[in-house]
Amino acid sequence: MTKWVYSFGAGHKEGRADMRDLLGGKGANLAEMASIGLPVPPGFTISTEVCTAFYDNKKQYPDDLKGQVEAALKVIEKAVGLKFDDKSHPLLVSVRSGARVSMPGMMDTVLNLGLNDATVEGLGKAADDPRFAWDSYRRFIQMYGSVVLGVDHHRFEELIEHTKLDAGVIEDTALTETHWRQVVEGYKDLVHQETGKPFPQQPHEQLWGAIGAVFGSWMNPRAITYRRLHDIPAEWGTAVNVQAMVFGNMGDDCATGVCFTRDPSTGENMFYGEYLVNAQGEDVVAGIRTPQPLSSSVAKPGEIPLEQAMPEAYRELMAVRGKLETHYKDMQDIEFTVQQNKLYMLQTRNGKRTAAASLRMAVEMARDGLIDEAEAVMRVNPSSLDQLLHPMLDPKAPRTLLGKGLPASPGAASGVVVFSSDEAESRTAKGESVILVRIETSPEDIHGMHAAQGILTTRGGMTSHAAVVARGMGRPCVAGAGGISVDYNTQVLAAGGKQVRAGEVITLDGATGEVFVGSVAMIEPAVSGDFGTLMAWADKHRRMGVRANAETPMDAETARKFGAEGIGLCRTEHMFFDPERILAVRQMIISDSESGRRTALSRLLPFQREDFRQLFTIMAGLPVTIRLLDPPLHEFLPHADQEMQEVADSLGTDIATIRQRADELAEANPMLGHRGCRLGVSYPEIYEMQARAIFEGAIAVAKEMGKAPHPEIMIPLVGMKKELEITRAQVDKIAAEVFAEAGSKIEYSVGTMIELPRAVLLADQIAGAADFFSFGTNDLTQTVFGLSRDDAGKFLPHYVEAGILPKDPFVSIDVDGVGAMVRIGVEKGRAAKNDLKLGICGEHGGDPASILFCEQVGLDYVSCSPFRVPVARLAAAQAALGAAADRTA
Ligand code: PEP
Ligand code: MG
């Protein structure tokens, strides 16, 4: 015979905390609390297997369920000395749902089940309080009527409001027995009217009705949506908990409350919660009366803390708090009831908390010896660190939504709308806060993005230029907000009938992708000492290195401040847009002869040399991976007539020639044309100049600091071994030249990005010419999916919403497809060269789920934007700890 029902309390120990799959979270914890001797009213849990069997078997219960429920009900009756349906003193029960993970959207709670027209009289006599009995009866009809029978709960509330108006009272507590009797009559009529049947009077029928409603709610649309959004399989099912009622509404020596064993918003080790005297659970949540604090230490004048109102129950609750934390080793979220000064526990679970609280609790619990350091590292969600490092919107601040895009770079920012990067720069210089609004950004916008407080684009995905650059700079960014239209001509931003003009204020929330009209109050980040402590513990446990994607001295310094162990990707093209250099870059591109290009490149050389000198100095001996020029040349070309004229003048030619060359170079493709090493192959002088700048910069630093840097030169977009061989030869040739000129040498390596499917499939060949691989998963995702990274924002959010893809593959690596490619690249690369260094520098290098994948495939390091370095350090530690746990399991 299958066991479907598990009793708890009154000496029955059939369940435990680790049986949450079978008993649901609530049932497992009730059983656990009862078995460690806490005062839990006796009850039983109908297992999640019943739910699964119910749906597998055309909504029929298993044959032997009824008998097991009846037997378990008898156990409760015996334990409390009362009987179900007893006219003189009835047993009442609560019925609650409880899945493995707490799941809003499902049936909540029915209290006081077992009351009917006869037992209500018995309860009134037994408690010597008929008002209490009739109040309980009306609560029961109200809850059962709405959650089981589907009557709109407002209809019930209306009836109470009318009764209070007629009686001339404000609070429910001022209504008398006679009023509640009237309300009950009204409720019964309402139920009859709405359902066509009288309110069920038979307690057993009531019980099965409530059990059926819990199982039924597992498949209601809200629950199905919630499960889909949170990856909860339907097969898990829900359990049903039936428990003897205790009453918080029996008089002034009764109460009900909720509390957290520590403050869930700050993490402070203080008892935090509230209670209501003479009330049942739903009153605390409903907000009809103002709940009171628990401890005297936090009570404001006029408030009556539980500590003062019911000192005995408070003392007991404090003891329970200690016992629960020592037992569960985590902050608990507790529900309790006091009946005639006696405390009863109704629920405990690990409490939800803010990022700041999570960090503080993990560190303090480890310091107090409640958990160990490794456990503390596992407790903090790496993604939540973003919240701690950036300003965020004050959750209580009022706001008007304009529209929504992708949450491309976290943090919040307010400022006046500007539509051009030049204006962003000039207004910022005047001391204004600006938000740069563009349809999309290009490398030409770097200075405006840098000047702006935040960036909004209406086109582009999570690895679009705007998203990547904003994350690198730590600027909040909302990208690809397709529902918002931008008109550069009229200088207006519009969405959903609202308009914002240039110069008016908007606010961005880069963590949610929301855009608001006007300014919204913000909370500044406060990084406590606990942050450094947790990071140090994380570093002890991680295997992979963590580097940063950085090219400016400022980014490099930020990266070091956050603990980066080197640079994993320096995108050299970002260095070309400085106003001092762009003209030389354009001259180089426009000239149609090698000698013309070499002349222009020689002007760039000192700038690049200085760039690298600075990076090597800041990184003080840590590895620095420099990627040679990657984007197609047309990205650097001037668009405005004035800029074209400037280039024409400097080359002694006319604007028509410039325009013609620009047309020749123009490409309309998802960045798959004449770029990456293809440029190096066509125009060797470009990479030669960059290599010279790197080696000369490195030798200068070696002399200055007495310690030579170790540059890692990286060739982008390699698909064929020959491409790498040709470009590597360019680098080696220049190295030999520079070393001969300087009379000294430094160590360096040359590797490649792996960002094309062909490179993956032939990684064993390519490894023969490479000292390292760095997976460029942005381009690899683009090329494996055959999906332009800049157009992805148009439809990927819909794909994710519709469940076609579990997550945006430009944010979190597509383990099945792109991940399979990475795996092949790793295996083939290492098979050919077992000491091949392997890293990742796509945006995935800062995403915790992708970092876990990187640990599993055995990469040596991840590289991500500077502000994500702490996230990556923690995620890498968790991945390593998880892998270690798997090995010992
Ligand atoms: C990549 O493709 O993953 C990468 C890091 O390079 P980029 O984003 O500059 O193309
Ligand atoms: Mg790339």
Side-chain angles (χ1 to χ4, degrees):
M1 190 181 79
T2 314
K3 184 168 174 59
W4 304 111
V5 176
Y6 294 75
S7 292
F8 57 80
H12 290 268
K13 296 188 177 177
E14 297 181 355
R16 287 185 318 271
D18 61 6
M19 288 164 71
R20 66 168 40 230
D21 293 1
L22 187 67
L23 303 179
K26 201 174 287 162
N29 283 331
L30 279 168
E32 184 81 12
M33 281 201 292
S35 71
I36 61 171
L38 297 185
V40 175
F44 59 87
T45 303
I46 304 175
S47 80
T48 55
E49 287 176 351
V50 174
C51 187
T52 317
F54 177 74
Y55 282 106
D56 285 351
N57 194 19
K58 300 196 183 85
K59 298 199 184 175
Q60 298 288 316
Y61 293 123
D63 288 342
D64 40 2
L65 178 68
K66 199 160 186 263
Q68 292 188 26
V69 166
E70 293 301 327
L73 199 57
K74 292 236 152 38
V75 171
I76 304 183
E77 290 181 336
K78 191 155 170 251
V80 297
L82 301 174
K83 282 198 172 334
F84 213 37
D85 203 14
D86 181 341
K87 311 268 177 304
S88 57
H89 193 171
L91 165 71
L92 303 189
V93 295
S94 65
V95 179
R96 299 192 283 172
S97 62
R100 267 189 227 188
V101 288
S102 108
M103 234 182 75
M106 293 203 21
M107 193 200 92
D108 208 6
T109 302
V110 174
L111 300 180
N112 308 316
L113 188 142
L115 281 174
N116 57 29
D117 295 349
T119 56
V120 66
E121 302 286 4
L123 179 69
K125 284 204 191 84
D128 196 18
D129 187 352
R131 181 194 176 279
F132 148 74
W134 284 92
D135 176 28
S136 301
Y137 193 20
R138 70 90 193 168
R139 286 171 189 269
F140 171 51
I141 303 176
Q142 187 167 347
M143 281 187 165
Y144 195 93
S146 61
V147 303
V148 179
L149 304 175
V151 180
D152 183 353
H153 75 274
H154 293 297
R155 304 288 306 275
F156 293 109
E157 290 296 336
E158 270 165 28
L159 267 163
I160 298 193
E161 285 312 308
H162 285 147
T163 311
K164 283 201 287 194
L165 270 180
D166 290 347
V169 302
I170 293 169
E171 300 254 351
D172 290 8
T173 42
L175 293 176
T176 62
E177 175 198 341
T178 319
H179 293 125
W180 288 133
R181 279 179 184 269
Q182 279 167 19
V183 170
V184 163
E185 283 316 305
Y187 275 9
K188 286 197 297 186
D189 288 347
L190 176 63
V191 168
H192 204 154
Q193 237 172 49
E194 293 286 311
T195 65
K197 285 191 216 131
F199 186 80
Q201 289 288 314
Q202 226 307 308
H204 284 88
E205 184 193 339
Q206 294 169 354
L207 179 63
W208 285 102
I211 294 171
V214 173
F215 288 136
S217 72
W218 182 249
M219 285 297 177
N220 76 26
R222 272 175 309 159
I224 292 173
T225 308
Y226 186 88
R227 280 203 292 278
R228 184 167 50 69
L229 293 176
H230 293 85
D231 294 334
I232 301 172
E235 305 81 74
W236 280 9
T238 180
V240 183
N241 299 293
V242 178
Q243 192 176 18
M245 280 296 301
V246 282
F247 300 96
N249 59 333
M250 246 181 178
D252 287 344
D253 54 358
C254 302
T256 186
V258 291
C259 48
F260 291 87
T261 53
R262 300 187 186 212
D263 184 332
S265 49
T266 65
E268 190 185 344
N269 192 357
M270 56 128 7
F271 202 20
Y272 179 94
E274 48 192 30
Y275 81 104
L276 271 178
V277 104
N278 197 8
Q280 276 194 338
E282 75 274 17
D283 301 333
V284 183
V285 195
I288 308 165
R289 283 156 58 198
T290 311
Q292 302 291 305
L294 298 178
S295 312
S296 304
S297 60
V298 295
K300 298 194 197 75
E303 290 181 332
I304 306 169
L306 185 73
E307 189 172 5
Q308 185 188 326
M310 298 173 194
E312 187 49 40
Y314 178 77
R315 248 194 310 281
E316 227 183 313
L317 190 60
M318 286 299 276
V320 167
R321 171 199 179 207
K323 202 161 180 178
L324 279 178
E325 270 215 353
T326 338
H327 189 72
Y328 282 95
K329 302 189 188 314
D330 201 354
M331 184 261 269
Q332 296 296 296
D333 167 355
I334 303 170
E335 286 177 20
F336 69 92
T337 282
V338 179
Q339 177 177 314
Q340 292 163 326
N341 288 318
K342 163 117 189 63
L343 176 76
Y344 293 94
M345 303 309 300
L346 300 183
Q347 178 164 318
T348 191
R349 59 182 169 192
N350 291 345
K352 296 228 183 314
R353 59 205 73 183
T354 62
S358 161
L359 177 68
R360 177 168 176 178
M361 285 192 277
V363 170
E364 288 186 357
M365 284 182 185
R367 279 211 188 106
D368 295 346
L370 196 59
I371 56 176
D372 61 19
E373 286 177 11
E375 178 61 27
V377 166
M378 294 304 281
R379 285 276 171 94
V380 179
N381 177 352
S383 307
S384 76
L385 294 183
D386 264 346
Q387 265 185 47
L388 298 175
L389 301 173
H390 294 91
M392 58 180 228
L393 296 184
D394 181 347
K396 293 187 214 104
R399 62 200 70 192
T400 313
L401 189 70
L402 176 68
K404 202 164 182 254
L406 301 171
S409 176
S414 284
V416 295
V417 168
V418 299
F419 292 98
S420 85
S421 287
D422 289 344
E423 196 182 343
E425 202 173 44
S426 61
R427 290 182 86 142
T428 303
K430 288 189 206 124
E432 282 182 273
S433 290
V434 308
I435 302 288
L436 175 64
V437 179
R438 301 284 302 162
I439 293 171
E440 59 189 335
T441 60
S442 76
E444 269 184 273
D445 292 308
I446 301 264
H447 64 297
M449 297 176 75
H450 199 262
Q453 296 293 308
I455 297 119
L456 167 64
T457 67
T458 55
R459 187 167 173 263
M462 292 293 280
T463 55
S464 61
H465 179 267
V468 171
V469 173
R471 276 198 289 277
M473 291 176 174
R475 295 282 178 288
C477 173
V478 174
I484 300 181
S485 69
V486 165
D487 188 333
Y488 291 141
N489 289 329
T490 55
Q491 298 265 296
V492 170
L493 180 68
K498 295 190 192 77
Q499 285 201 338
V500 178
R501 288 169 198 292
E504 291 176 354
V505 174
I506 58 169
T507 299
L508 306 181
D509 185 342
T512 61
E514 288 166 314
V515 183
F516 303 99
V517 181
S519 71
V520 181
M522 278 178 227
I523 303 175
E524 285 304 314
V527 179
S528 67
D530 295 337
F531 179 78
T533 307
L534 190 83
M535 282 295 128
W537 293 345
D539 289 345
K540 273 198 233 166
H541 291 282
R542 74 185 151 84
R543 180 191 63 80
M544 288 189 293
V546 175
R547 302 192 191 179
N549 295 354
E551 39 274 331
T552 65
M554 197 172 84
D555 290 350
E557 263 155 16
T558 310
R560 286 224 54 191
K561 193 177 81 198
F562 285 137
E565 299 160 304
I567 290 180
L569 173 63
C570 162
R571 291 176 163 104
T572 50
E573 58 271 17
H574 289 180
M575 298 165 153
F576 283 0
F577 280 92
D578 204 276
E580 285 183 297
R581 321 170 178 195
I582 189 70
L583 192 63
V585 175
R586 287 172 177 164
Q587 286 169 352
M588 183 269 291
I589 294 167
I590 298 292
S591 55
D592 46 13
S593 70
E594 186 186 325
S595 68
R597 279 193 295 275
R598 283 198 185 274
T599 311
L601 284 164
S602 66
R603 285 191 200 122
L604 283 171
L605 176 67
F607 291 115
Q608 281 265 272
R609 188 192 305 127
E610 180 55 18
D611 291 335
F612 299 135
R613 201 194 58 77
Q614 287 187 19
L615 285 186
F616 292 140
T617 307
I618 295 167
M619 284 295 155
L622 295 172
V624 176
T625 307
I626 298 163
R627 183 178 71 187
L628 303 187
L629 190 69
D630 185 11
L633 297 181
H634 71 90
E635 290 237 334
F636 301 93
L637 284 183
H639 299 295
D641 278 359
Q642 191 200 336
E643 288 171 333
M644 292 216 193
Q645 191 63 57
E646 200 183 351
V647 180
D649 291 348
S650 74
L651 287 169
T653 177
D654 56 23
I655 194 165
T657 314
I658 304 293
R659 214 171 262 136
Q660 190 194 338
R661 180 76 177 133
D663 288 346
E664 280 163 23
L665 289 169
E667 292 188 358
N669 58 46
M671 294 280 282
L672 291 174
H674 199 181
R675 59 167 280 212
C677 61
R678 299 162 194 170
L679 289 174
V681 171
S682 315
Y683 306 120
E685 54 280 10
I686 301 179
Y687 282 8
E688 285 175 17
M689 180 282 285
Q690 292 196 289
R692 176 169 282 279
I694 294 168
F695 293 125
E696 290 181 354
I699 285 182
V701 172
K703 286 201 183 118
E704 277 164 35
M705 302 181 66
K707 191 170 173 218
H710 181 122
E712 297 177 346
I713 296 172
M714 181 151 78
I715 311 295
L717 214 78
V718 164
M720 294 151 241
K721 185 184 183 195
K722 264 259 166 292
E723 291 173 320
L724 183 57
E725 284 171 345
I726 292 169
T727 45
R728 182 177 187 128
Q730 296 166 3
V731 173
D732 289 340
K733 182 186 87 177
I734 297 295
E737 280 176 25
V738 175
F739 297 162
E741 288 157 21
S744 62
K745 277 186 179 193
I746 53 152
E747 297 290 318
Y748 69 96
S749 27
V750 181
T752 178
M753 309 231 2
I754 298 289
E755 46 189 349
L756 293 176
R758 191 177 196 282
V760 165
L761 298 173
L762 298 170
D764 44 352
Q765 287 183 13
I766 292 175
D771 301 325
F772 63 89
F773 282 176
S774 180
F775 287 91
T777 42
N778 301 334
D779 274 314
L780 193 58
T781 301
Q782 158 162 280
T783 51
V784 167
F785 273 88
L787 147 61
S788 154
R789 55 201 261 197
D790 292 318
D791 294 322
K794 283 193 191 139
F795 64 95
L796 273 185
H798 168 68
Y799 265 44
V800 175
E801 252 162 52
I804 300 169
L805 278 172
K807 285 180 192 159
D808 183 333
F810 287 105
V811 174
S812 198
I813 197 160
D814 157 48
V815 173
D816 294 346
V818 179
M821 280 287 189
V822 172
R823 231 177 250 280
I824 297 172
V826 168
E827 280 161 16
K828 290 200 163 224
R830 286 238 168 95
K833 198 178 254 183
N834 63 13
D835 61 346
L836 187 70
K837 189 153 48 156
L838 298 173
I840 181 173
C841 62
E843 292 304 293
H844 305 88
D847 166 63
S850 312
I851 292 170
L852 175 63
F853 169 80
C854 295
E855 171 72 31
Q856 287 163 346
V857 295
L859 297 193
D860 297 309
Y861 68 89
V862 299
S863 187
C864 57
S865 61
F867 283 86
R868 286 199 79 83
V869 165
V871 175
R873 285 162 69 195
L874 184 56
Q878 292 185 353
L881 285 165
D886 285 350
R887 277 195 297 277
T888 51

